[in-house]
């Protein structure tokens, strides 16, 4: 099968498309024929290892000291179950699935074996029936990230919610989830994304390239920082200061992403009911994955960036 190998940490050019052996599922595994994967913010961190020292050391202990232990990286997949091991109960051949591969990585390939149960090595669920495999990769990564951190807000109808970093993979999902919960949503992004976030339901928008103070009267019940802790600004500080006394501020970097197939099943329900639609920025061919990494590495994707494998 074809797979993209990352044989050392470095620039996008370390990624090489190669022919490798097709995996065979164990008794508790399913073999997924991958139709689409995604290039996520996490893939960029893993490939480049270009992150602050305090995160880099634990990350390398987990993933590999001088190079990724599994040379096939990639965290997100959507595809079809081609075969199953004899103990598998949750899935059957032909099921269309989507999920994350976690520490197991391996989604930059034509096939991947995964356990049917959730673990640090991934979670898998039936894909929403009304979206493409490409859209499903955005829903899996953005949905898991956004929903995990939004749930911490216990958002009630009518509450004021601010999403900082609203135009990225998790931000675009977070806006729609907050609207589904009945919140009034303020979205923060740069000028070229204002129309996008409005189209997803944002009631008001703030352009972080033009504004670095906000009305001190604005009281937010919940703020999701969907950009992460590394990227900060005067405006982000101003947003924090506009939190209501009993409001909650949550960064998407607070803790680890939980690989939870129940949450994926919930994302599926909301998508099938028409409450949420994944946003795709660009879709690349498998052989153009280096270009996709260059683009995502700039940090300004709108929704998700997808790789079509077949
Ligand atoms: N906790 C965990 O386990 C975990 C796991 C995975 C990822 N994460 C975190 O999740 C973050 C978000 O992932 P994602 O894929 O949703 O991100 P993304 O798609 O890359 O989105 C980035 C967002 O940040 C905005 N942005 C970029 N530079 C900015 C700046 N200087 N000031 C304000 N906004 C800026 C972009 O808006 P414009 O394009 O409009 O500038 C865009 O809305 C990652 O960076 C990572 O920190 C956490």
């Amino acid at each position: 099968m074809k797979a993209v190998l990352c044989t050392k940490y470095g620039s996008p050019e370390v990624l090489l498309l190669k022919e490798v052996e097709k995996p065979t599922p164990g008794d508790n595994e399913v073999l997924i024929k991958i139709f689409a994967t995604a290039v996520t913010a996490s893939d960029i961190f893993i490939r480049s290892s270009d992150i602050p020292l305090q995160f880099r050391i634990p990350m390398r202990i987990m993933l590999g000291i001088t190079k990724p232990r599994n040379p096939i990286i990639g965290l997100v997949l959507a595809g079809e179950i081609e075969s199953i091991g004899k103990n598998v109960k949750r899935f059957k051949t032909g099921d269309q699935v989507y999920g994350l591969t976690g520490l197991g990585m391996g989604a930059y390939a034509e096939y991947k074996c995964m356990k049917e149960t959730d673990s640090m090595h991934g979670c898998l669920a039936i894909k929403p029936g009304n979206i493409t495999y490409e859209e499903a990769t955005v829903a899996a990564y953005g949905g898991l990230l956004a929903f995990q951190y939004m749930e911490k807000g216990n958002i009630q109808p009518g509450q004021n919610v601010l999403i900082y970093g609203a135009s990225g993979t998790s931000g675009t999902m977070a806006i729609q989830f907050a609207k589904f919960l009945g919140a009034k949503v303020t979205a923060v992004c740069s000028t070229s994304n204002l129309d996008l976030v409005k189209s997803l339901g944002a009631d008001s928008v703030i352009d972080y390239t033009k504004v670095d103070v906000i009305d001190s009267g604005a009281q937010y019940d919940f703020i999701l920082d969907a950009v992460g802790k590394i990227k900060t600004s005067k405006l982000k500080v101003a947003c924090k200061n506009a939190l209501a006394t009993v409001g909650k501020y949550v960064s998407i970097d607070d803790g680890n992403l939980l690989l939870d197939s129940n949450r994926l099943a919930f994302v599926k329900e909301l998508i099938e009911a028409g409450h949420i639609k994944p946003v795709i920025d660009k879709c690349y061919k498998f052989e153009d994955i280096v270009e996709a990494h260059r683009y995502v590495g700039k940090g300004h994707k709108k929704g998700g960036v997808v790789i079509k494998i077949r």
Side-chain angles (χ1 to χ4, degrees), residues 40-42 45 141 145 149 164-171 188-190 193 208 226-229 231-233 252-257 299-301 303:
T40 67
S42 308
F45 288 140
Y141 182 79
L145 253 182
Y149 291 97
Y164 190 94
S167 55
T169 313
S170 53
V188 180
C189 61
S190 62
N193 292 325
Y208 75 81
V227 171
K229 287 185 174 157
K231 290 175 192 158
T232 193
S233 66
I252 209 146
D253 280 337
D254 290 338
N256 296 321
L257 178 60
H300 295 285
K301 64 178 146 64

Side-chain angles (χ1 to χ4, degrees), residues 165-176:
S167 55
T169 313
S170 53
T172 49
M173 297 294 278
I175 296 172
Q176 299 178 79

Side-chain angles (χ1 to χ4, degrees), residues 250-269:
V250 171
S251 164
I252 209 146
D253 280 337
D254 290 338
N256 296 321
L257 178 60
L258 300 175
L259 302 180
D260 182 350
S261 56
N262 289 323
R263 199 170 272 128
L264 279 179
F266 179 51
V267 172
K268 170 182 182 290
E269 271 177 37

